[in-house]
Amino acid sequence: MSPQNFRSKFGAPQQPASCLSTGHGHPAAWQAINTLTPSLFRAASEQRTIYGSVQEAILINLFGNVSFAASGNFRIRGHNGKAMPLTLHLRFAGPPLSGKSDTHDRFNAPVVEAMKGWKKRWLFDNVTPATLLRKIRSGSVLSMLSMAEGRGHLGDQVSGQLSRSFQELNDLYDSHVPALDRADDDDDELVENAPDSAIFVTCVNVQNDKHRAWLDKHAQDASGSGYLYRLLMMEAVEVAMEGAGSQQREVALLDYDQRIVELIASARLNLEATPASQLPVIDVPPEAEKVLRQAQERFVQMPGSFLSSNDARVFAVRLAANTRRIAGCMHVFERCEGPISVDTMTRATTIAECFSAHWLSTVFPPKATPDGVQRGQRLLDALHNLARQSGRWTPSWREADIVTLAPNFGWSKVEMKAAITAICGAGFAQVVPRIENGRRVIKLELIPNSVPTF
């Protein structure tokens, strides 16, 4: 084992989500974009090229708006034969200048245009749960929570209540209108005319600090309610690159605009005549089900030690449901007919795996490397450098001599001894008694198989 593996053996920080493809074998955001169906891939790539947005922001905002447009046209067959909506609940967390606003506004633009003339309120931002439910019950059956900067939505004030209303969000995720409570009992007209189903998509962009504060306070409750497993999240630490801007003409994005307008026009007609719970259903044939079933088994393994076996199964089942929805969204956007193809489901499983890797990285952030481990790594590196200089196959030093070097590292003798203990405990070195010149000495020896090839 090489010294480079010292940190990982001690449970050191995982790589950031953007490096998951090389660090953990899961697709990174750029790989998920490459996996998109052709029209969506071209739109996402052009957004990146022209506006420079980070890939995570592109995926979240693209799927948020495609989900809104597709959900009013079709549903998709679930694993138990029941139909589920194509609605997605998404959140992107990124630093300032990561492209949140540019990406949100660009992908949202054709939706705003297509929804002009819709008589009911459809676009919400920092809305309270009571107001949202009142609007939906009064006929806002095609609606979206969409924000370029969702600090208030994730805050502790009244405007942040909806982000913590997990039962209501669970119902809306499944297109169910939450049941009326006592406060509504005296409104006979509302009780009589309230729809039983509605389309409700969420696409929230927020800065990393507010996202982290929300998770620190509410992740346990959100997980216990089941909503956290339904929420697709991505987090980025990079800022946007400099895009081509006006130097490159939009082509694929204009095609995206046209398709979104077409889908929403159709959705408006559908929902004026048909409840959301009665929309036509896209079937998933056995060969596509097999692809998803195999992916779900991989999903179970992804949480590793982070989740119990029962919670890991919940994680996998909810992710598989989102995978169906992602596949259905791409199927509808690409004008595909008939059941979901194996190709589309395969693409969806890769994209969902990318989402899940980000979900795990943001829900279970890496812990800081302990000081003792950092000192152990520094000492191990120094010893290997000394070994290279000496050319000895089994390099060794008197333990007392190594401890004497502590001030050169800026450490106390106690800290140097702790570093020695760390590398010995990790199996990279050992402290052993030896006889030299007839005298017994205590030596620190690097274990041969941990020494890199010179």
Side-chain angles (χ1 to χ4, degrees):
M1 185 180 293
S2 68
Q4 286 79 5
N5 291 326
F6 178 78
R7 295 183 180 88
S8 61
K9 183 166 182 175
F10 272 81
Q14 301 170 355
Q15 290 178 293
S18 59
C19 298
L20 283 168
S21 64
T22 56
H24 296 276
H26 306 309
W30 67 267
Q31 292 171 303
I33 287 177
N34 286 349
T35 307
L36 290 167
T37 47
S39 297
L40 291 174
F41 166 74
R42 290 191 291 270
S45 299
E46 196 167 270
Q47 173 72 22
R48 172 74 168 166
T49 300
I50 295 176
Y51 295 92
S53 311
V54 298
Q55 291 102 331
E56 293 84 354
I58 292 171
L59 281 168
I60 290 288
N61 288 277
L62 179 62
F63 272 113
N65 289 283
V66 170
S67 172
F68 179 79
S71 294
N73 289 276
F74 289 94
R75 296 175 294 156
I76 191 166
R77 190 74 63 193
H79 72 282
N80 56 4
K82 295 176 62 177
M84 65 171 63
L86 298 181
T87 51
L88 295 171
H89 287 197
L90 304 116
R91 181 187 302 172
F92 168 68
L97 299 180
S98 57
K100 293 187 292 294
S101 295
D102 284 344
T103 311
H104 171 272
D105 295 348
R106 180 61 190 85
F107 285 130
N108 211 35
V111 177
V112 173
E113 184 65 26
M115 289 299 290
K116 286 182 178 178
W118 185 249
K119 295 180 181 179
K120 297 294 183 178
R121 173 83 177 270
W122 69 274
L123 185 61
F124 298 93
D125 44 33
N126 287 331
V127 65
T128 64
T131 300
L132 174 65
L133 295 182
R134 187 170 63 249
K135 291 294 184 180
I136 291 176
R137 288 166 182 156
S138 64
S140 293
V141 294
L142 179 59
S143 55
M144 183 179 190
L145 180 76
S146 181
M147 282 170 279
E149 295 287 348
R151 294 187 71 83
H153 173 66
L154 298 187
D156 296 326
Q157 306 305 314
V158 173
S159 60
Q161 288 180 350
L162 182 60
S163 73
R164 307 187 295 275
S165 300
F166 303 126
Q167 184 55 56
E168 289 80 1
L169 289 170
N170 280 335
D171 286 338
L172 292 170
Y173 170 86
D174 288 323
S175 291
H176 299 151
V177 178
L180 294 162
D181 58 27
R182 292 181 180 180
D184 301 309
D185 287 347
D186 60 350
D187 192 335
D188 294 336
E189 183 178 352
L190 184 64
V191 172
E192 182 178 352
N193 298 323
D196 63 353
S197 58
I199 302 301
F200 183 70
V201 172
T202 74
C203 182
V204 176
N205 296 263
V206 69
Q207 291 186 357
N208 303 80
D209 62 334
K210 185 58 68 174
H211 172 66
R212 173 50 44 202
W214 186 92
L215 284 173
D216 289 343
K217 292 181 180 179
H218 307 298
Q220 185 172 355
D221 287 343
S223 176
S225 71
Y227 181 68
L228 194 63
Y229 297 112
R230 294 175 168 93
L231 179 62
L232 293 173
M233 296 183 288
M234 282 194 166
E235 186 171 13
V237 296
E238 304 88 353
V239 298
M241 68 178 190
E242 184 176 357
S246 59
Q247 296 180 12
Q248 178 168 327
R249 183 169 60 92
E250 289 185 357
V251 178
L253 285 170
L254 296 180
D255 292 338
Y256 159 85
D257 293 348
Q258 181 178 349
R259 181 58 178 153
I260 290 291
V261 170
E262 291 173 355
L263 286 172
I264 291 179
S266 175
R268 289 175 57 165
L269 292 174
N270 292 336
L271 294 172
E272 285 175 346
T274 307
S277 59
Q278 299 300 316
L279 290 170
V281 181
I282 303 168
D283 283 320
V284 182
E287 55 270 25
E289 283 285 359
K290 181 179 179 181
V291 171
L292 183 55
R293 191 163 53 250
Q294 292 172 340
Q296 184 172 319
E297 290 306 310
R298 297 197 304 273
F299 297 160
V300 172
Q301 305 301 320
M302 288 187 67
S305 61
F306 292 125
L307 295 174
S308 67
S309 58
N310 286 340
D311 288 341
R313 178 61 62 178
V314 174
F315 168 85
V317 169
R318 298 305 184 199
L319 183 58
N322 274 324
T323 305
R324 289 180 191 273
R325 297 176 186 219
I326 290 170
C329 287
M330 295 192 296
H331 180 90
V332 173
F333 189 88
E334 297 289 350
R335 299 181 175 87
C336 299
E337 296 182 355
I340 292 289
S341 68
V342 170
D343 176 72
T344 299
M345 186 61 78
T346 302
R347 292 173 186 269
T349 59
T350 300
I351 294 165
E353 191 171 343
C354 176
F355 273 115
S356 67
H358 275 264
W359 189 96
L360 290 166
S361 181
T362 190
V363 173
F364 302 102
K367 297 180 180 179
T369 307
D371 289 343
V373 175
Q374 294 185 42
R375 292 193 187 96
Q377 181 64 55
R378 185 179 172 191
L379 175 60
L380 187 63
D381 292 341
L383 293 178
H384 276 291
N385 286 335
L386 289 174
R388 292 187 185 95
Q389 294 170 10
S390 68
R392 289 177 290 176
W393 175 246
T394 307
S396 63
W397 303 267
R398 291 191 181 189
E399 183 187 15
D401 292 340
I402 298 299
V403 172
T404 301
L405 297 176
N408 295 341
F409 290 78
W411 303 341
S412 67
K413 290 185 177 180
V414 172
E415 290 172 333
M416 175 61 84
K417 289 183 177 180
I420 292 172
T421 300
I423 63 174
C424 291
F428 295 106
Q430 58 185 352
V431 175
V432 294
R434 299 293 187 202
I435 302 298
E436 292 185 354
N437 298 324
R439 299 181 59 185
R440 183 176 182 270
V441 296
I442 304 299
K443 305 202 74 174
L444 174 67
E445 296 181 353
L446 293 180
I447 295 176
N449 63 9
S450 74
V451 179
T453 301
F454 298 138

